[in-house]
Amino acid sequence: MKKHLFTVTLAFAAALCAIVSCNPKDDEPSVPTEKTPSVPRNLTLTEAGETSLSFSWDAADGAESYAWRLTKDHTVVTEGKTAATSQTVDGLQKGTAYSFAVRSIAGDKTSAWSNALDAVTPDYTKPEGKVQRVDDPLVLELGGTPVLGKSGKIVIYRKDGEEVDRIDLADLQYVTTRDDGFTVPSTQITNDTRFNTFMDALPCTGRWRAVHYTPLKIQGNKLIIRPHTGVLEFGTEYYVTIDAGVLQGHEGVSEGLWPFATSQAPESHTSISVGPVGDFCTIQRALDFADKGGAEITIANGTYHELLYARDKSNISLKGESRSGVVISYPNCELYVNGSGGNLSGRPRAGSSVGKNGGRSVFLVENCDNLVLQDLSIENSFGQRQGQAETIYFNSGSNSHRLTVENCSLLSYQDTFLCKGVVWVHNSLIAGAVDYIWGSPSACLFEDCEIRSRANGYIIQARVPGAAQTGFVFLNCSLTAEEGVANGSMYLARSAGQADGWDNVVFVNCKMSPVINQAGWYGTPAPNPSAPTASAGWREFGSTDLGGKALTGHNSYGKVLTAEEAAAYSSRQAVLGF
């Protein structure tokens, strides 16, 4: 009963208000109750310049305007008001961390401050709008010395947004950084190793050589970013993104996109230049670009820190501006990579097994006929005396491809020069320690060369595939030693002890320093053949000391030829047939 009485009373009151105004005065408007506006949401950094920061946020319910403030180390730097939903703050310091917050205003009501958004003004020069060669590195110039972080990615996209390359700092777990700044594998790369972004695949004629490489390097106040070889195309627009965390103390580099474009392809595939102002800045891209039937690649003075790969090309010439001025140098060895190396039919993908690693040499050459190296130096900068570390592996499947090395220096310690085929090395320096000239050529002539020992060991280990094949010939060479190498600590040769490999080595009219042991030849294991003949095994003719005095007394593992027997090794025509 009480419920019904209450309902009737409410109905009566409503009817009364319909007849008589409930306002105190009919002519006075009603006064709405003011509401506190909502807090701005989705605060975003839209641009970070060297001396400015720009922010935006969503419009807040009930807001008539907005108050904002910028702080540094919890102290207000500047503040203001705006009717817009964005704000640019100018006059800031380069490379400085700030915090920005905003709140809504409606009459005399204000919302709470938004959560503060941290932002950093960059202290770098970004390569914005730059047109560069297809193999030029990307360079970020910073206000101070950058330090690499341990997370985040650098990604390169085509202008249409398709990703073409990435460097993931999570892959730093697989490498060690040397004192010279190069990143090398922390564990040996084998065929089963998973490919990561601190590895590269060098292309040539539709094949690839899987290697380790250094994608990021710090030089002074610059971060040098080297994209993977061959991923960038000629005449194409790209942009780069860099995640926060890539550079410690320079988080602001992650705020923005850095566009660049690559130049058009060189006009000629047969006449190519490499250098600061050449067609390419890397020798590898020149090798891949060169015509399959022949090309001359001229290289300007400079140091080229790269591993190289050439495959299935003929009549290629690499000609340096000067022997001492053009240095191709990179650290590689068996501690980093297992084996002498081979090729792949496709570029490996990150996370997949390598399949076939590219070996421990600086320069891997496969099935290239009439390759000429002239007026340059190749150095395997691994730098330790133990560990196989070739400068060149000249691999000829038919053992008939030709290589000429003219006025060059090949520098390493163990296994400096590995070859097959038909090879002429003239007026050049070969330096190393253990088996630093080796392989299974049909014929390899060193003429007018310096053969320099850098530590105790053995000069040659021959594995000539046929007893009747010429093998290694040294004509009019000087066998020298670096300072500090003990007299008697070096042997002319030692054998691999293989029944299917012949120790065919001959020295003709060579000068030998006291570093060569009195015995001459190292007899354990015994060479093949164990008893040398005029045409096989270990032999010499006309050996002298550095002053020209005849040397005698080398052991019976070697044979001293007669002048008539030595005539077969007295010229390039006699040894190589050309």
Side-chain angles (χ1 to χ4, degrees):
M1 199 65 178
K2 290 182 180 179
K3 179 179 180 182
H4 292 287
L5 178 61
F6 180 69
T7 302
V8 172
T9 304
L10 286 178
F12 176 78
L16 181 62
C17 281
I19 300 171
V20 180
S21 174
C22 292
N23 288 327
K25 297 180 180 178
D26 289 343
D27 57 347
E28 290 184 6
S30 60
V31 179
T33 303
E34 288 187 354
K35 294 175 60 177
T36 301
S38 61
V39 177
R41 308 181 86 177
N42 295 326
L43 179 59
T44 304
L45 176 67
T46 57
E47 186 175 357
E50 291 184 347
T51 59
S52 66
L53 295 169
S54 297
F55 304 89
S56 68
W57 56 90
D58 291 348
D61 291 341
E64 298 172 355
S65 61
Y66 302 91
W68 58 266
R69 67 185 181 190
L70 189 75
T71 61
K72 173 186 171 186
D73 298 329
H74 307 290
T75 301
V76 175
V77 175
T78 185
E79 57 189 346
K81 291 182 180 181
T82 179
T85 55
S86 62
Q87 180 65 41
T88 295
V89 186
D90 296 310
L92 305 180
Q93 296 177 338
K94 292 172 56 176
T96 305
Y98 295 95
S99 291
F100 184 85
V102 63
R103 65 181 180 183
S104 304
I105 301 174
D108 60 355
K109 299 289 187 180
T110 58
S111 71
W113 287 101
S114 66
N115 290 331
L117 178 64
D118 294 334
V120 179
T121 51
D123 59 348
Y124 61 92
T125 300
K126 60 185 179 182
E128 189 166 6
K130 180 180 180 182
V131 177
Q132 60 185 58
R133 290 173 296 182
V134 73
D135 56 343
D136 276 324
L138 297 169
V139 180
L140 288 179
E141 187 173 350
L142 298 116
T145 302
V147 176
L148 283 180
K150 296 183 179 179
S151 63
K153 296 179 288 294
I154 299 172
V155 184
I156 301 177
Y157 300 88
R158 274 206 303 263
K159 186 180 179 180
D160 61 10
E162 181 176 347
E163 180 181 327
V164 298
D165 198 21
R166 70 167 51 198
I167 300 163
D168 191 339
L169 266 67
D171 290 339
L172 281 168
Q173 64 181 306
Y174 303 118
V175 299
T176 300
T177 302
R178 290 165 43 112
D179 291 342
D180 55 14
F182 294 99
T183 51
V184 295
S186 52
T187 57
Q188 186 188 57
I189 295 175
T190 68
N191 294 342
D192 295 327
T193 298
R194 299 290 176 179
F195 196 79
N196 63 73
T197 63
F198 279 70
M199 297 175 67
D200 199 3
L202 309 180
C204 191
T205 323
R207 309 294 290 188
W208 282 262
R209 178 193 181 193
V211 297
H212 60 92
Y213 94 123
T214 304
L216 305 174
K217 201 167 186 180
I218 292 171
Q219 295 179 353
N221 68 332
K222 296 178 181 179
L223 173 67
I224 312 298
I225 304 170
R226 186 168 293 282
H228 288 85
T229 304
V231 300
L232 300 183
E233 300 174 352
F234 296 106
T236 305
E237 293 182 68
Y238 298 95
Y239 65 88
V240 186
T241 64
I242 302 179
D243 289 347
V246 168
L247 292 172
Q248 296 179 7
H250 298 281
E251 287 76 8
V253 299
S254 65
E255 308 296 347
L257 309 177
W258 298 279
F260 70 97
T262 54
S263 55
Q264 298 296 324
E267 294 182 359
S268 174
H269 287 267
T270 58
S271 181
I272 304 166
S273 60
V274 178
V277 294
D279 297 319
F280 298 95
C281 74
T282 64
I283 300 167
Q284 182 57 47
R285 284 306 296 261
L287 282 168
D288 186 37
F289 187 75
D291 190 88
K292 188 175 181 178
E296 182 179 75
I297 300 172
T298 57
I299 308 170
N301 283 342
T303 300
Y304 299 83
H305 293 299
E306 52 181 316
L307 298 173
L308 301 178
Y309 179 52
R311 166 87 186 191
D312 295 335
K313 296 195 175 187
S314 299
N315 305 309
I316 300 295
S317 172
L318 294 178
K319 188 178 188 321
E321 184 177 351
S322 67
R323 174 169 158 178
S324 61
V326 174
V327 179
I328 303 165
S329 176
Y330 207 83
N332 202 14
C333 73
E334 64 174 325
L335 296 182
Y336 303 155
V337 188
N338 178 40
S340 54
N343 68 82
L344 300 166
S345 59
R347 184 188 295 274
R349 288 188 279 181
S352 65
S353 61
V354 172
K356 180 65 176 178
N357 73 75
R360 58 190 179 243
S361 64
V362 173
F363 192 3
L364 173 62
V365 182
E366 295 183 315
N367 294 333
C368 291
D369 190 30
N370 196 26
L371 173 67
V372 177
L373 307 178
Q374 183 176 350
D375 302 332
L376 54 82
S377 298
I378 304 178
E379 176 189 22
N380 191 322
S381 58
F382 170 58
Q384 299 182 30
R385 295 181 180 179
Q386 294 183 342
Q388 294 173 278
E390 289 90 349
T391 56
I392 304 175
Y393 175 21
F394 186 75
N395 187 6
S396 168
S398 64
N399 211 18
S400 62
H401 294 103
R402 294 162 294 166
L403 168 67
T404 297
V405 181
E406 174 71 48
N407 191 37
C408 293
S409 295
L410 306 179
L411 311 171
S412 186
Y413 281 92
Q414 185 170 340
D415 292 8
T416 301
F417 183 62
L418 168 58
C419 70
K420 296 178 181 177
V422 179
V423 181
W424 181 44
V425 184
H426 180 241
N427 191 33
S428 295
L429 165 66
I430 316 296
V434 175
D435 305 334
Y436 62 95
I437 297 171
W438 74 294
S440 50
S442 57
C444 178
L445 171 63
F446 294 85
E447 184 177 2
D448 301 323
C449 291
E450 180 185 358
I451 311 300
R452 183 186 299 170
S453 295
R454 308 183 74 184
N456 60 296
Y458 322 90
I459 295 176
I460 310 151
Q461 187 178 95
R463 302 180 182 184
V464 180
Q469 292 182 308
T470 302
F472 290 97
V473 178
F474 295 81
L475 176 63
N476 302 327
C477 293
S478 296
L479 279 54
T480 65
E482 289 185 353
E483 185 177 354
V485 182
N487 290 344
S489 65
M490 179 62 66
Y491 290 85
L492 296 174
R494 71 167 175 174
S495 177
Q498 297 177 348
D500 59 350
W502 275 260
D503 291 287
N504 290 352
V505 179
V506 58
F507 289 86
V508 176
N509 297 330
C510 291
K511 296 180 178 181
M512 304 182 184
S513 78
V515 72
I516 303 301
N517 190 278
Q518 179 64 34
W521 313 94
Y522 191 80
T524 305
N528 179 25
S530 57
T533 67
S535 60
W538 291 339
R539 293 149 290 156
E540 63 182 309
F541 172 79
S543 299
T544 70
D545 64 16
L546 295 180
K549 180 180 178 181
L551 290 176
T552 59
H554 290 165
N555 63 30
S556 60
Y557 287 107
K559 174 180 173 62
V560 177
L561 301 176
T562 65
E564 184 178 1
E565 292 169 333
Y569 311 105
S570 60
S571 68
R572 184 182 67 177
Q573 178 64 39
V575 176
L576 302 179
F578 62 87

